Amino acid sequence: MRVLFIGDVVGRPGLEFTEKVLARRLPDWQPDLVVANGENASASGRGLSPRVAEQLYEAGVELLTLGNHAWDQRELVEYIDTDARIVRPANFPPGTPGRGYTVCPVNGKSVLIINVMGRTFLSQLDCPFRAVDEILDGHRDVQHVIVDMHAETTSEKLAMGWHLDGRVSAVIGTHTHVQTADERILPRGTAMITDVGMVGPRNGILGMDRSRILRKMLTQMPERFAVAEGPCQFCAVLIDLHEQTGKAVAIERVCIYEDS
Ligand SMILES: [Fe+2]
Ligand SMILES: [Fe+2]
């Protein structure tokens, strides 16, 4: 079973480049499941609107994960309970709208997708490690499990990888928007990458307009950030999972640059 996991899609340019790359490359890659982190996919780069989710589904994405920007588009708060394809961090407080995991049928097997958010420099949520453990306890019959660990630090994401080694198929880091070159399969069969990267304008800063970010950093005055323009990059990983055991067989980084 092959899973394509796409990093944080940023703004309209990220959405359009996702559409373009998937239209061109899906026939070669032939994934059985396509997952993307959608927390920055709305036009403003903040949050996910139901309309943009729909556009990502049309482009070939089947499941969407979120992160710290989950609620930046107010419409999603109302909408999220109606769409089982969208997963928000599982360690949000009890009673939060939406779901922290979803089970999706793929090739006659069940695939469990879990989203959790780290705490270091990012949040004061409940423990992400215990949140995943609890979900896994309730799904002992599911072999194919993908965890989107949305976190700021490499250490916390690596810790999640080692915590889950042999218990899930893959731990994919998101949130920093910069792809790391440390993809590997841990000894007990869990594929891991600290950060999968983003789909968005590559000459901005993490997909946002660099002049505004620079101005804020240089002056320390408030600035309204906006999505950058110009050529994009598409960052993802292709993960091959053993059909029966769910263990990872291969993980390959994908990074495609749009012509400038
Ligand atoms: Fe992000
Ligand atoms: Fe994030």
Side-chain angles (χ1 to χ4, degrees):
M1 179 186 300
R2 172 169 272 200
V3 179
L4 175 67
F5 193 108
I6 304 167
D8 304 34
V9 176
V10 183
R12 174 148 283 280
L15 170 65
E16 286 174 0
F17 198 50
T18 301
E19 291 169 343
K20 207 162 146 184
V21 169
L22 292 184
R24 204 185 308 150
R25 302 301 292 274
L26 282 184
D28 313 329
W29 290 334
Q30 303 223 328
D32 300 294
L33 177 66
V34 181
V35 186
N37 186 295
E39 72 150 6
N40 307 110
S42 70
S44 63
R46 286 180 207 85
L48 174 75
S49 66
R51 197 175 57 85
V52 168
E54 201 51 56
Q55 285 172 290
L56 284 162
Y57 299 146
E58 276 166 32
V61 175
E62 292 161 282
L63 294 173
L64 288 162
T65 55
L66 293 168
N68 52 307
H69 291 291
W71 309 128
D72 288 2
Q73 295 295 316
R74 298 287 307 167
E75 309 153 80
L76 196 74
V77 179
E78 303 287 309
Y79 173 81
I80 195 164
D81 280 316
T82 68
D83 190 343
R85 295 167 292 184
I86 303 177
V87 187
R88 49 81 175 154
N91 51 334
F92 278 166
T96 300
R99 70 214 78 222
Y101 63 87
T102 198
V103 180
C104 174
V106 180
N107 297 351
K109 301 259 186 284
S110 292
V111 180
L112 169 63
I113 309 288
I114 304 172
N115 187 197
V116 275
M117 199 157 105
R119 294 183 291 190
T120 312
F121 304 141
L122 185 61
S123 77
Q124 295 182 323
L125 295 178
D126 293 345
C127 176
F129 301 94
R130 291 186 181 86
V132 177
D133 288 347
E134 212 171 285
I135 296 166
L136 293 178
D137 271 351
H139 294 84
R140 289 181 185 274
D141 51 328
V142 180
Q143 315 302 328
H144 299 76
V145 183
I146 309 285
V147 177
D148 173 351
M149 172 61 169
H150 196 82
E152 193 75 56
T153 65
T154 47
S155 59
E156 200 177 11
K157 291 191 258 192
L158 284 169
M160 184 61 83
W162 285 106
H163 180 64
L164 297 176
D165 184 24
R167 296 195 286 145
V168 305
S169 308
V171 174
I172 307 301
T174 57
H175 175 70
T176 71
H177 293 203
V178 177
Q179 190 178 67
T180 56
D182 63 338
E183 79 283 9
R184 63 183 288 197
I185 298 172
L186 298 175
R188 292 184 172 150
T190 296
M192 163 93 218
I193 186 165
T194 303
D195 206 291
V196 61
M198 68 157 185
V199 187
R202 64 185 300 232
N203 293 327
I205 296 174
L206 312 184
M208 304 306 275
D209 177 43
R210 67 175 185 264
S211 62
R212 295 171 192 233
I213 291 181
L214 272 169
R215 208 152 54 222
K216 182 176 167 77
M217 288 188 178
L218 289 167
T219 65
Q220 296 299 309
M221 295 291 285
E223 265 299 333
R224 194 175 270 276
F225 293 158
V227 174
E229 292 175 0
C232 283
Q233 65 189 47
F234 175 95
C235 293
V237 282
L238 277 166
I239 319 154
D240 290 323
L241 307 181
H242 190 282
E243 214 57 47
Q244 303 308 323
T245 65
K247 291 201 185 291
V249 178
I251 175 166
E252 185 191 332
R253 264 186 297 131
V254 175
C255 193
I256 296 169
Y257 296 121
E258 189 172 31
D259 298 339
S260 39

